[in-house]
Amino acid sequence: MVFSVTEQPLRIAVASNFTPALKKLLVEFHHQTQIKTQLISGATGALFLQIKHGAPFDIFIAADSTRPEQLEQQELVLANSRKTYAFGQLALLSMNSTAQLSDLKAYSKKTPPRLAIANPDTAPYGKAAKQTLEYLGLWQHYKPKLIQGININQTFAQVRSQAVNSALVANSQLVLNNLSGAIIPSSYHQPIAQQLVIIKSSDNISKAKNLSDFLLSPTVQQKIISFGYANFNHHTLGELHD
């Protein structure tokens, strides 16, 4: 199908962790606005590089604040469009038993089992996983046993398929799939402040603003929290900058 200028879909570059939640939210967004959308999902770091090299995205829904801020500094995004739409939570998932935080620490004096995490260099949840293991003094201990996914969805798939028994994943993945695990205390890693930005070169800026406003609306914010994201009442969503 060839889209005319007026029918061009809104091209959304979205972090892997938020893709399942966004798909649910877009049902209501489509109903309200009749705006067609196209999702391009991946690791935040990989999407960031694509945007830097001119990929024709309209809005970037990242899993951190670092990459949106860098795009803002490079003047690649619409002024004042950088907003915090969610706070991610990291969780330990085990497919053989109900995961407990003590499971990670149990192997401090013996060889640990394989553990899946997302790539710390490109995926914010992978970075938080590395920070968590460093906080516990276990990074070097686990490092030889780590199975790194290119993004958090691949890591989640690895543990769901039982290719590996345990993984540090996004809590939203547990909630949306009716699984139970152990939420990692937020003090173990830097906050996962997830931000969005509108790409300055976009031909769909008004539609991108519609989506940004939709995601930041109080009703949708409550839905995002219900999907397993943190409720940080002491932060002002949409206005948190580093």
Side-chain angles (χ1 to χ4, degrees):
M1 179 178 178
V2 178
F3 290 97
S4 71
V5 173
T6 56
E7 292 177 327
Q8 272 187 348
L10 182 67
R11 287 175 57 84
I12 305 166
V14 57
S16 297
N17 80 91
F18 196 64
T19 301
L22 184 60
K23 285 180 178 177
K24 289 179 177 290
L25 295 172
L26 285 179
V27 174
E28 178 62 23
F29 180 69
H30 291 155
H31 180 72
Q32 287 183 16
T33 65
Q34 308 304 309
I35 292 173
K36 297 182 178 72
T37 57
Q38 179 181 359
L39 296 187
I40 301 90
S41 177
T44 289
L47 293 171
F48 163 76
L49 289 175
Q50 290 179 46
I51 292 167
K52 276 187 66 176
H53 290 103
F57 302 140
D58 299 307
I59 187 169
F60 179 30
I61 300 178
D64 66 6
S65 57
T66 304
R67 270 72 167 222
E69 185 177 24
Q70 288 175 357
L71 292 174
E72 183 180 64
Q73 290 169 348
Q74 293 166 22
E75 299 185 350
L76 293 174
V77 304
L78 194 68
N80 302 314
S81 69
R82 183 162 65 94
K83 307 290 184 183
T84 302
Y85 67 91
F87 289 91
Q89 295 190 98
L90 190 67
L92 177 65
L93 173 63
S94 175
M95 296 309 294
N96 289 349
S97 60
T98 301
Q100 298 181 351
L101 198 56
S102 57
D103 295 344
L104 278 178
K105 305 172 187 176
Y107 295 96
S108 60
K109 291 182 173 65
K110 55 185 176 179
T111 302
R114 291 191 304 163
L115 177 71
I117 68 171
N119 185 335
D121 296 327
T122 56
Y125 281 81
K127 181 180 178 182
K130 179 180 180 181
Q131 289 171 347
T132 294
L133 293 173
E134 288 175 335
Y135 178 88
L136 295 171
L138 297 173
W139 172 250
Q140 293 300 329
H141 196 57
Y142 271 96
K143 194 174 179 181
K145 292 289 188 175
L146 291 178
I147 308 298
Q148 291 189 21
I150 57 173
N151 57 53
I152 200 66
N153 281 356
Q154 187 183 77
T155 297
F156 183 64
Q158 287 169 330
V159 71
R160 284 299 299 274
S161 68
Q162 298 194 3
V164 59
N165 179 52
S166 300
L168 287 167
V169 297
N171 183 54
S172 57
Q173 293 170 315
L174 272 60
V175 172
L176 291 170
N177 289 279
N178 296 311
L179 298 169
S180 59
I183 294 177
I184 303 300
S186 59
S187 58
Y188 285 20
H189 57 80
Q190 292 173 1
I192 309 174
Q194 303 194 191
Q195 293 191 337
L196 62 82
V197 282
I198 296 171
I199 309 305
K200 190 162 68 172
S201 61
S202 166
D203 293 327
N204 272 328
I205 282 177
S206 63
K207 292 178 183 177
K209 285 180 177 178
N210 282 341
L211 180 58
S212 176
D213 291 343
F214 172 80
L215 292 174
L216 294 169
S217 66
T219 303
V220 175
Q221 281 295 307
Q222 287 304 311
K223 287 182 180 178
I224 289 173
I225 291 167
S226 76
F227 291 154
Y229 292 86
N231 184 1
F232 277 65
N233 290 321
H234 58 283
H235 291 304
T236 303
L237 278 163
E239 296 180 357
L240 178 90
H241 288 3
D242 293 343

